[in-house]
């Protein structure tokens, strides 16, 4: 970054980056359902682009594990079986547990301020009883939690699970906790950080993840 107030070039996003984001979002929210086959001609027409950037974007998603290539058949959106889902949440637990430990060692006040704002967004979604908004706010809260650790590596690791986690949350809609219960779960996490109770915080984050696994098994 240059001196304060100095103008600098604005980063330009390539077509491939934009298309990659579009495809991730479509997978994340279920517009491209698990197991769906991706047809190049149809997608290129819908996105208004040539097949070259589309192919490159799809290959990025193959590398990220969101698409799978089947010989002589084409590209398909991944499906998550019970083992995959459990692995996603156990990996999240490892990341978020480490993030919680770092938060307790660093600036808890800043973390509480940021998480309180994220909690307010969750409260608003819960008040509307909008399941999609609740899922978005739930995920955003945990993104802030990891970000508040101050570890860019933990943040990058968590980002790789972003779409898979949202796919899991889509599956959780029918077994999602009551809005008030969901809010209280997250409020307890913020309170534990504010009170400086690390052992309680780690116990709460583990219970949060294992409960998600339990509900996904039930669904």
């Amino acid at each position: 970054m240059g001196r304060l107030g100095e103008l600098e070039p604005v980063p330009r996003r390539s077509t491939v980056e934009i298309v990659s984001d579009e495809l991730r979002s479509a997978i994340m929210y279920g517009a491209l359902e698990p197991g769906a086959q991706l047809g190049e001609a149809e997608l290129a027409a819908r996105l208004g682009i040539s097949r070259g950037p589309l192919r490159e974007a799809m290959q990025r998603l193959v590398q990220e594990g969101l698409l799978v290539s089947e010989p002589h058949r084409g590209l398909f959106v991944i499906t998550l079986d019970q083992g995959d889902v459990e692995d996603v949440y156990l990996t999240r637990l490892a990341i978020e547990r480490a993030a919680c430990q770092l938060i307790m060692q660093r600036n808890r006040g800043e973390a509480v301020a940021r998480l309180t704002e994220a909690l307010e967004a969750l409260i608003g979604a819960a008040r509307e009883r909008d399941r999609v908004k609740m899922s978005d706010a739930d995920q955003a809260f945990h993104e802030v939690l990891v970000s508040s650790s101050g570890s860019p590596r933990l943040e990058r690791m968590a980002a790789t699970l972003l779409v898979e986690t949202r796919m899991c949350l889509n599956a959780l809609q029918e077994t999602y906790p009551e809005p008030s219960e969901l809010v209280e779960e997250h409020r307890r996490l913020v309170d534990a950080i504010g009170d400086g109770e690390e052992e309680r915080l780690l116990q709460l984050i583990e219970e949060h993840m294992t409960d998600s696994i339990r509900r996904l098994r039930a669904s």
Side-chain angles (χ1 to χ4, degrees):
M1 181 179 293
R3 292 174 299 176
L4 186 63
E6 183 177 322
L7 295 176
E8 296 183 339
V10 177
R12 297 181 62 183
R13 301 177 69 219
S14 69
T15 300
V16 173
E17 289 174 323
I18 295 171
V19 173
S20 297
D21 286 347
E22 287 288 320
L23 294 176
R24 282 192 206 93
S25 181
I27 294 171
M28 183 184 299
Y29 289 99
L32 290 173
E33 297 180 349
Q37 184 173 15
L38 273 63
E40 278 189 16
E42 178 190 359
L43 281 176
R46 287 171 61 184
L47 293 167
I49 59 172
S50 64
R51 295 194 188 188
L54 176 61
R55 287 194 190 107
E56 189 173 340
M58 291 194 296
Q59 284 307 310
R60 286 192 181 189
L61 269 63
V62 169
Q63 293 170 359
E64 293 172 13
L66 298 176
L67 297 178
V68 60
S69 177
E70 296 188 10
H72 311 299
R73 295 193 63 207
L75 294 176
F76 295 81
V77 178
I78 60 165
T79 57
L80 300 176
D81 61 24
Q82 182 172 306
D84 293 321
V85 169
E86 292 186 13
D87 191 47
V88 167
Y89 276 90
L90 289 174
T91 304
R92 281 189 59 194
L93 174 57
I95 293 170
E96 296 192 27
R97 181 182 175 86
C100 287
Q101 289 174 317
L102 288 174
I103 287 171
M104 300 306 278
Q105 297 167 14
R106 297 176 179 176
N107 191 343
R108 290 189 294 111
E110 180 183 346
V112 169
R114 294 182 63 195
L115 287 167
T116 298
E117 183 177 347
L119 179 62
E120 287 301 319
L122 180 57
I123 291 171
R127 190 177 295 121
E128 295 179 33
R129 302 186 72 85
D130 185 316
R131 295 288 184 176
V132 174
K133 287 183 179 179
M134 285 168 58
S135 294
D136 286 343
D138 183 351
Q139 185 161 324
F141 179 97
H142 288 274
E143 289 176 38
V144 171
L145 177 71
V146 176
S147 174
S148 296
S149 72
S151 169
R153 289 172 180 80
L154 284 179
E155 200 167 354
R156 284 200 301 270
M157 291 166 66
T160 63
L161 294 169
L162 176 66
V163 180
E164 289 177 307
T165 297
R166 195 62 181 77
M167 291 172 72
C168 293
L169 290 176
N170 291 339
L172 272 173
Q173 293 302 314
E174 297 301 318
T175 58
Y176 222 51
E178 282 299 305
S180 58
E181 181 184 344
L182 185 68
V183 167
E184 189 56 31
E185 281 183 23
H186 291 78
R187 192 191 305 278
R188 285 195 292 266
L189 291 170
V190 179
D191 289 345
I193 294 172
D195 294 340
E197 297 183 8
E198 181 172 343
E199 186 175 340
R200 177 166 164 253
L201 175 63
L202 297 179
Q203 180 181 351
L204 287 170
I205 199 69
E206 182 166 353
E207 289 174 354
H208 185 74
M209 295 300 175
T210 55
D211 184 60
S212 294
I213 292 173
R214 179 188 60 77
R215 287 187 285 112
L216 279 160
R217 283 174 177 167
S219 68

